[in-house]
Amino acid sequence: MSRWYPDERALRRLPRPAPRRPAAAAAQRLGPRQRRAFAARGCPAVGTTSLGVAASAGLPDGVAATRAENLRLARVLRRLPVLVTADVEAGCADDPAAVAELVVELAALGVVGVNLEDGRADGTLDPAALTAAKVAAVKAAAPEVFVNARTDTWWLGLPDPLPETLRRARAYEAAGADGIFVPGTPDADTVAALVAGIDAPLNVLYRPGGPTLDELHALGVARVSTGSLLFRAALGAAADTLDAVRAGTTPPTRPPSYDEVQRWSAPSRP
């Protein structure tokens, strides 16, 4: 059965068109101008990517080093005319109470949803009970925030990951997670099995060459994220443009004009 779930709980309260596609979140750490460009292209929500947040600050990803950067970015992004979600890795702490404190601060700045993951930088997974405790603490402290619980069973290459994915998803659902994010799913059959086995809205990561939005919608996927793809694409485009300038050739992509960027910079809300 196909389902439509907007990205965050707050969006569910807004009028919306008839269901057609999963909500697509353009997840980046670019800036308010670039994110306004995403909003103009119909994204109902934009979200940060932990890689972009960390890399833009000269920090490694996945090591709980970006608490301050997440809060700083949220203060900037609150001016956007769309819903904003934050990728906070594993909550930037092991203590569930500290994770909840961070999410409360983000919610006060206008963030309506967070991603909480169970993957560690060393390539292992946190115990499911620890991530579930973080989810429960966040929901108790900030019940209005949409908690998208991410399990990295496929991302980290676990052997036979489906049973462990379903076990973790059910634990996170029982703790209060509003959605389940499973990046790295390899094919449509796997996605279909996850939709069938998980009650909460399923979020998957878009893969170039993988299923399209329409195909994912037909499988029952509720939300599609681009992860760090657009951030990495922007870096690649900048490098390719520089190479073209040095080689005396035409850059391979057309950047937005000066006036377009200025329009994106126009204030939209206090």
Side-chain angles (χ1 to χ4, degrees), residues 157-234:
L158 263 66
D160 190 24
L162 181 59
E164 181 64 11
T165 302
L166 295 177
R167 184 184 77 84
R168 286 174 174 266
R170 289 162 186 158
Y172 303 160
E173 288 180 71
D178 300 288
I180 301 295
F181 183 19
V182 187
T185 48
D187 51 46
D189 289 343
T190 298
V191 172
L194 291 172
V195 170
I198 296 173
D199 290 333
L202 179 66
N203 180 192
V204 300
L205 189 69
Y206 171 78
R207 294 186 301 109
T212 65
L213 287 182
D214 286 335
E215 290 167 342
L216 291 170
H217 168 60
L219 290 168
V221 169
R223 172 176 171 178
V224 180
S225 299
T226 55
S228 64
L229 175 62
L230 300 185
F231 175 76
R232 291 180 287 110

Side-chain angles (χ1 to χ4, degrees), residues 18-234:
R20 286 183 292 180
R21 286 185 170 186
Q28 306 310 309
R29 193 325 184 177
L30 294 171
R33 296 175 180 85
Q34 295 92 329
R35 289 173 184 272
R36 196 179 301 277
F38 298 158
R41 283 161 171 77
C43 291
V46 294
T48 63
T49 170
S50 62
L51 175 64
V53 173
S56 65
L59 297 169
D61 184 27
V63 297
T66 56
R67 188 187 195 282
E69 284 71 22
N70 274 294
L71 291 168
R72 188 176 301 116
L73 183 58
R75 291 186 186 97
V76 175
L77 298 181
R78 68 191 300 178
R79 299 194 297 267
L80 288 177
V82 295
L83 300 171
V84 175
T85 76
D87 177 355
V88 295
E89 302 176 8
C92 297
D94 288 330
D95 179 11
V99 175
E101 181 181 343
L102 170 60
V103 176
V104 167
E105 290 185 60
L106 288 168
L109 294 171
V111 170
V112 299
V114 294
N115 279 9
L116 272 177
E117 64 193 47
D118 57 16
R120 293 171 166 169
D122 64 2
T124 63
L125 292 168
D126 275 329
L130 174 58
T131 303
K134 293 179 180 181
V135 170
V138 169
K139 293 304 295 184
E144 75 283 4
V145 173
F146 187 105
V147 175
N148 200 32
R150 166 176 157 170
T151 182
D152 285 344
T153 45
W154 259 281
W155 199 247
L156 296 178
L158 263 66
D160 190 24
L162 181 59
E164 181 64 11
T165 302
L166 295 177
R167 184 184 77 84
R168 286 174 174 266
R170 289 162 186 158
Y172 303 160
E173 288 180 71
D178 300 288
I180 301 295
F181 183 19
V182 187
T185 48
D187 51 46
D189 289 343
T190 298
V191 172
L194 291 172
V195 170
I198 296 173
D199 290 333
L202 179 66
N203 180 192
V204 300
L205 189 69
Y206 171 78
R207 294 186 301 109
T212 65
L213 287 182
D214 286 335
E215 290 167 342
L216 291 170
H217 168 60
L219 290 168
V221 169
R223 172 176 171 178
V224 180
S225 299
T226 55
S228 64
L229 175 62
L230 300 185
F231 175 76
R232 291 180 287 110

